[in-house]
Every structure is written in structure tokens, then in C-alpha cells.
Amino acid sequence: MNFPVWIELGPYRLHPHLAFELLAYFVGFRLYLYARRRQGDAIDDPQRWWVVAAAATGAALGARLLYMFECPSETLQHWNDPRYLLAGKTIVGGIAGGWLAVEAAKRLLRIESRTGDLFAVPLTAAIAIGRIGCFLTGTSDHTVGVATTLPWGIDFGDGVPRHPTSIYEALFLVGLAVLLATWQRRGPRIGDLFRGFAAAYFALRLMVDFLKPSPCRGLGLSAIQWVCLLALLALAPDMLRWLRRTQPLQGGT
């Protein structure tokens, strides 16, 4: 297999990252509309679309900003190169930025209920699809792992078998989508579905990113891992509550 793996569609030849990113947006949005139609919504249409707009804007800004802060010295070297500044983005930054923007919008709109549950499964599916495009892009996507001697290591074209970290993420997310859909049918507390998705994905990235090369780390963690750690600390009260609910009763019959 030669990377990148171009997608042939009749007379058209699409780059895999673009092709799967567009597919991810399409599938994610369709799943969101399906979930909203089937489950209803806690807020009315005007408020919901303001929330969606805030999420999209925050995600776009967060994805770019965290990419720029991944390695500040490298960003400073390319500060006047728009191709560098506009090309990179991170999913972790997108989720964190979208989340913060939605919370800010809810304050302005005086929305007190949690509004993220409808995004949980669509986001999980969309990221999984997008990660396939990352894998097919190869080393130029900057998401491949470090060298490995494991039998499933992939040579992405540089002659070094590497961890296929994008595939690790995609497989994890497929399983997470199934778990979230199952949890959804059991009627979780409002807001828990999105927070469960966020906790699972941030925990995944905190661990998987140890398998990715990063020239810029602080105290052993990359900027992405620090954001994941801070997000997990913010979600800690919810995670402790979930753990208490799953613990078996002690004593008695």
C-alpha cells in the first residue's frame, strides 16, 4: 500500500483526508438530525441552531488554536505563513473549543438544561470516519505513531513500521458508539451521554498520544494531553457519580 491512498471516483481523484472528512461531516450531521427527530429536543429550534452555530464556531477556533500551541516555537517560525496556520487542526481542540463555546452561548441565551446529548453518537461516528482518512493519508497527516516491532506495525512510506494510531482510535470509537447507543436506550440523566463521550475520548487521547511522536512536551505531556487531562479533571465529578452508581451494594441480601 502506498500512502496517501487516493480515492478514485470515476473521473475524480480525491485526497483521502478530504474525502473522509467530508464524509464524516455528512454522516455526523445526518445522524444528528435523525437523533433530534427521534428523541426530540430539550430546547426550541431558534435556541438549538444558536447552540449548533456556537459549537461549530468554537470547534473551528479551538481546533486551530490548540494546533498552534502544540509546538509554540514551530508556530513562531511560521507565524506569517497562512498555509501553515490554516492547514493544521486537532480534534481535541475542536471538542474542547466547541464545548466552551456552547457553555458561553447557553449563558447568553439563559439556557439552563444540558444540550450536548444529541451530539454524542454523531460525533463519535464522525471522528471514527475521519480517522480512516488520517490513516490513508500517511505520515503527512502527522497522526501516525512511533516505531513499533509489533506485528501490526504499518510502514507508511518511510521504511519504519509504526503504530497505526488512527486505526486504534477508529476501532475504539466504533465500540464507544455502540456503548453510547445502548446507554441512550436506558435513559441516562440529561447531559450524561455527551459527557460520557467526552470523558471516553479525552481519556483515549491522553493514553494514545504517548504512542505519537511529539517534539514539544511539557512535564512529559503534549499540549493535547494537557488539555485532555484538564478536561478529565472537569469531568471527574460526573465520572465519580457514574462509578458510585455501578458499585454493587455492600452487605445485606
Side-chain angles (χ1 to χ4, degrees):
M1 182 182 293
N2 295 318
F3 295 89
V5 181
W6 291 83
I7 308 300
E8 306 286 348
L9 293 176
Y12 302 102
R13 193 167 183 256
L14 300 179
H15 192 280
H17 197 287
L18 174 62
F20 279 88
E21 187 172 355
L22 292 175
L23 180 61
Y25 290 144
F26 175 78
V27 171
F29 188 63
R30 296 304 302 177
L31 287 175
Y32 163 75
L33 293 177
Y34 173 78
R36 190 167 189 254
R37 185 170 59 251
R38 184 175 181 179
Q39 302 164 30
D41 202 338
I43 57 178
D44 58 28
D45 282 354
Q47 288 182 321
R48 170 54 69 183
W49 293 116
W50 277 113
V51 168
V52 170
T57 303
L61 290 174
R64 301 290 185 190
L65 287 174
L66 183 54
Y67 171 77
M68 293 169 65
F69 280 100
E70 272 194 277
C71 198
S73 59
E74 187 173 339
T75 299
L76 287 174
Q77 292 177 1
H78 298 88
W79 69 271
N80 59 348
D81 183 355
R83 292 176 298 177
Y84 175 84
L85 299 178
L86 295 177
K89 54 185 180 293
T90 69
I91 294 175
V92 168
I95 295 173
W99 188 4
L100 291 174
V102 166
E103 292 302 321
K106 284 166 59 178
R107 284 182 178 271
L108 291 174
L109 298 170
R110 297 180 180 179
I111 299 173
E112 297 183 359
S113 62
R114 292 181 173 179
T115 59
D117 286 348
L118 291 174
F119 295 111
V121 174
L123 275 174
T124 306
I127 297 172
I129 293 170
R131 279 312 191 203
I132 297 173
C134 294
F135 169 75
L136 295 176
T137 298
T139 56
S140 62
D141 191 67
H142 304 293
T143 57
V144 301
V146 296
T148 180
T149 57
L150 293 171
W152 54 81
I154 302 291
D155 180 355
F156 289 93
D158 60 355
V160 179
R162 298 179 178 276
H163 283 285
T165 49
S166 297
I167 296 300
Y168 296 168
E169 286 189 43
L171 292 174
F172 177 90
L173 289 163
V174 169
L176 179 60
V178 174
L179 289 175
L180 290 174
T182 302
W183 191 14
Q184 189 174 41
R185 289 194 291 270
R186 296 178 179 175
R189 179 187 293 189
I190 294 175
D192 275 3
L193 206 65
F194 176 79
R195 287 172 177 254
F197 152 75
Y201 188 71
F202 287 132
L204 169 71
R205 290 300 302 272
L206 180 61
M207 294 183 293
V208 166
D209 278 39
F210 282 115
L211 299 177
K212 296 181 181 180
S214 178
C216 301
R217 292 185 184 269
L219 299 178
L221 300 179
S222 67
I224 287 176
Q225 289 175 301
W226 277 112
V227 170
C228 290
L229 185 59
L230 291 173
L232 288 170
L233 289 174
L235 290 164
D238 293 291
M239 292 189 286
L240 290 174
R241 173 169 54 83
W242 300 332
L243 287 174
R244 285 195 297 268
R245 289 183 60 185
T246 58
Q247 289 176 348
L249 295 176
Q250 299 296 321
T253 59

